[in-house]
């Protein structure tokens, strides 16, 4: 039997996984039954990007709002009709917590009667088989997959299948959803689903779409990996104008959008998490008049997206201004400024900057300056025992990086000269082996003298195999929502502290004595295994 918890754990990002744990903990404490549902399950199983987390609880999640906020979630909106909370979990993870419910459609074009229900009943009101699965996150049944419509089989077959014949009649927004998913996954509709889809289109059921569904579907566009492809598919089916009568692909800034998605991928490849949704909306509606844009915004249920989209140009302008000012007078200061800016803003500005020098600085930030890291003399640093085990290592590595960026350390020799005084003293030699006390002690090879003294072995080359190169010091993590430092400056005046080099610090002593495992690999005596090799 498939282990879906394991699959979930390896497929979610670390932040998403933390988000699952957060929601699980709140639900457990409140005593409500919780399931991961919908698109999240589909994407976990199919291997597509997991864009957001959809949870369903048996109970009213609106009552848990304060609990979620106390646990670190931010409220981004709510839908009182279907009792859904829209949250942003730490790490910018989007989540929806919905109430398990039934939807009874009595009349075409009229909203359904909503009633609380069990998870099994809730799955029956969903749009497609691949979206009608739930994974239990409850004690006793954690990991159990509820898949009453064989969604897993349809994921394997790569088809979209509605749950019953009236699906598009009951909720015509499913026509838009079918088009969107088909364009995104390149999965066709199963034959009968396609027939129902064609007939619903012919009968113009889409005219009965609810306002809230329109808002929901607009917001979903912002999170597509290839929004242009989806918008084109919607236009081809005559559904784009359903989202707004004046919206056509001619109103999209296609160049801007293409550039945005390309730059976004480059930034993601560098290890940043960046949410391009506000920028996507900006480019998707770039050539629409302000009034139409305002109308579109009003329909979106998540206020975080509305605000980010509304403010994006203003915030980018502010960042551009700072990049032109004193705060970014040197490469290191620019580095600090851009590292502490929100990645979303840097991304948007990278694509829209009008001033050449701004564009140039951002380009350097993502390309040239990163290569400067490679100039840190890692093998020599390891020999000098300047390794990540040292408490002062992160600051030292950062200072060297900043000085290299600013051209204040111009050569390998200069860099080593700067670093040497920071080398900690070698650890004290181990007590001499007691000879003649049992066969084992006598047989154990004595460590070579030079190694004991903490120096590289002569004749073994500069970089002994026993010493793995120290990892490249991490670049400053992009701090989301963090305000840049008022005066970010490298510690260029950081004077080498001869004290550190001359005398083992208290800390160095105690950590060497108390945590022998933490000693640099250079000092490990060669064990039997490595000898054999
Ligand atoms: P995406 O990857 O676009 O976020 P998703 O499937 O998660 O896809 P959401 O709009 O977030 O889409 O909806 C979450 C889940 O709620 C869906 O997977 C589906 O089970 C259900 N759902 C959403 N809209 C409808 C609808 N109109 N009719 C039936 N079920 C729906």
């Amino acid at each position: 039997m498939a282990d879906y918890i394991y699959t979930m754990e390896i497929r979610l990002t670390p932040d998403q996984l933390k988000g699952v744990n957060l929601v699980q903990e709140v639900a457990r404490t409140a005593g409500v039954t919780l399931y991961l549902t919908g698109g999240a399950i589909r994407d976990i199983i199919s291997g597509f990007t997991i864009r957001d987390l959809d949870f369903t609880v048996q109970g009213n999640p609106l009552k848990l709002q304060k609990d979620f906020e106390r646990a670190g979630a931010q409220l981004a909106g709510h839908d009182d009709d279907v009792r859904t909370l829209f949250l942003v979990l730490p790490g910018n993870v989007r989540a929806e917590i919905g109430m398990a419910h039934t939807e009874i459609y009595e009349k075409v074009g009229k909203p359904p009667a909503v009633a609380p229900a069990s998870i099994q009943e809730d799955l029956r009101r969903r749009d497609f088989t691949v979206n009608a699965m739930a994974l239990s996150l409850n004690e006793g049944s954690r990991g159990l997959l509820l898949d009453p419509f064989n969604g897993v089989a349809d994921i394997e077959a790569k088809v979209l299948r509605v749950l019953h014949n009236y699906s598009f009649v009951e909720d015509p927004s499913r026509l838009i959803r079918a088009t969107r998913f088909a364009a995104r996954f390149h999965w066709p509709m199963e034959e009968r689903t396609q027939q129902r889809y064609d007939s619903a289109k012919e009968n113009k059921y889409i005219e009965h779409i609810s306002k809230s569904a329109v808002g929901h579907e607009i917001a979903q566009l912002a999170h597509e990996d290839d929004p242009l492809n989806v918008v084109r598919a919607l236009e081809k089916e005559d559904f784009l104008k359903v989202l707004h009568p004046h919206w056509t692909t001619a109103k999209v800034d296609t160049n801007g959008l293409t550039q945005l998605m390309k730059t976004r991928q480059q930034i993601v490849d560098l290890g940043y998490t960046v949410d391009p949704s506000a920028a996507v909306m900006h480019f998707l509606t770039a050539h629409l008049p302000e009034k139409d844009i305002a109308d579109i915004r009003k329909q979106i249920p998540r206020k975080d997206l509305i605000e980010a989209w509304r403010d994006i140009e203003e915030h980018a302008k502010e960042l551009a201004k700072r990049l032109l000012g004193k705060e970014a007078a040197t490469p290191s200061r620019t580095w600090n400024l851009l590292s502490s800016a929100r990645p979303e803003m840097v991304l948007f500005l990278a694509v829209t900057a009008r001033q050449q020098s701004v564009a140039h600085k951002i380009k350097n930030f993502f390309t040239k300056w990163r290569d400067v890291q490679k100039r840190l003399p890692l093998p020599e640093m390891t020999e000098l025992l300047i390794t990540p085990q040292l408490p002062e290592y992160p600051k030292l590595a950062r200072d060297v990086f900043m000085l290299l960026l600013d051209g204040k350390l111009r050569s390998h020799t200069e860099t080593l000269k700067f670093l040497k005084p920071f080398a900690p003293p070698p650890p004290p030699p181990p007590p001499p082996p007691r000879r003649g006390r049992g066969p084992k002690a006598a047989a154990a090879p004595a460590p070579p003298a030079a190694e004991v003294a903490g120096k590289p072995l002569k004749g073994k080359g500069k970089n002994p195999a026993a010493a793995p190169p120290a990892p490249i010091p991490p670049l400053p993590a992009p701090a989301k929502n963090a305000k840049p430092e008022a005066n970010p400056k490298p510690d260029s005046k950081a004077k080498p502290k001869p004290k550190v080099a001359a005398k083992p610090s208290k800390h160095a002593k105690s950590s060497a004595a108390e945590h022998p495992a933490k000693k640099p690999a250079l000092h490990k005596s060669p064990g039997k295994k490595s000898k054999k090799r």
Side-chain angles (χ1 to χ4, degrees), residues 128-239:
F128 305 104
T129 56
V130 294
N131 287 344
M133 293 179 275
L135 182 67
S136 169
L137 297 175
N138 307 294
E139 267 169 48
S141 62
R142 197 163 182 274
L144 181 74
L145 185 78
L146 308 181
D147 181 14
F149 299 97
N150 250 333
V152 173
D154 280 345
I155 287 177
E156 274 164 21
K158 297 186 171 44
V159 287
L160 296 169
R161 187 193 306 267
V162 285
L163 307 193
H164 54 82
N165 283 339
Y166 304 102
S167 188
F168 294 123
V169 186
E170 286 187 343
D171 180 354
S173 76
R174 293 170 190 163
L175 292 166
I176 293 181
R177 295 176 66 77
T179 312
R180 187 158 61 78
F181 292 134
R184 187 199 304 168
F185 300 129
H186 304 285
W187 292 352
M189 280 178 249
E190 164 275 334
E191 205 182 318
R192 275 178 63 174
T193 301
Q194 183 70 56
Q195 284 168 7
R196 301 286 158 207
Y197 175 95
D198 293 340
S199 125
K201 247 188 92 183
E202 214 176 291
N203 289 307
K204 299 194 184 339
Y205 289 145
I206 198 68
E207 288 172 6
H208 301 295
I209 190 170
S210 71
K211 269 193 163 184
S212 66
V214 167
H216 185 80
E217 291 308 312
I218 293 173
Q220 293 299 82
L221 293 179
H223 304 287
E224 289 292 340
D225 279 342
D226 188 354
L228 200 52
N229 173 43
V230 173
V231 165
R232 282 187 178 136
L234 291 178
E235 185 170 56
K236 191 161 161 256
E237 296 295 302
D238 273 344
F239 293 148

Side-chain angles (χ1 to χ4, degrees), residues 24 178 305 502:
Q24 204 178 281
L305 175 58

Side-chain angles (χ1 to χ4, degrees), residues 362-432:
I362 296 179
K363 192 168 168 225
N364 281 343
F365 177 69
F366 285 125
T367 54
K368 202 170 112 187
W369 291 344
R370 262 146 230 275
D371 288 341
V372 170
Q373 267 213 322
K374 295 183 193 142
R375 285 170 41 206
L376 282 172
L378 294 179
E380 289 88 343
M381 283 166 79
T382 309
E383 277 178 23
L384 289 168
L385 307 183
I386 301 178
T387 60
Q389 282 88 349
L390 280 186
E392 54 271 44
Y393 182 86
K395 181 174 181 318
L396 190 54
R398 194 186 157 84
D399 283 349
V400 173
F401 174 59
M402 298 279 121
L403 292 168
L404 284 167
L405 267 187
D406 288 343
K408 289 184 179 160
L409 292 175
R410 278 164 304 173
S411 65
H412 192 73
T413 322
E414 270 186 35
T415 310
L416 282 181
K417 202 173 150 198
F418 175 83
L419 280 167
K420 267 186 189 151
F422 292 100

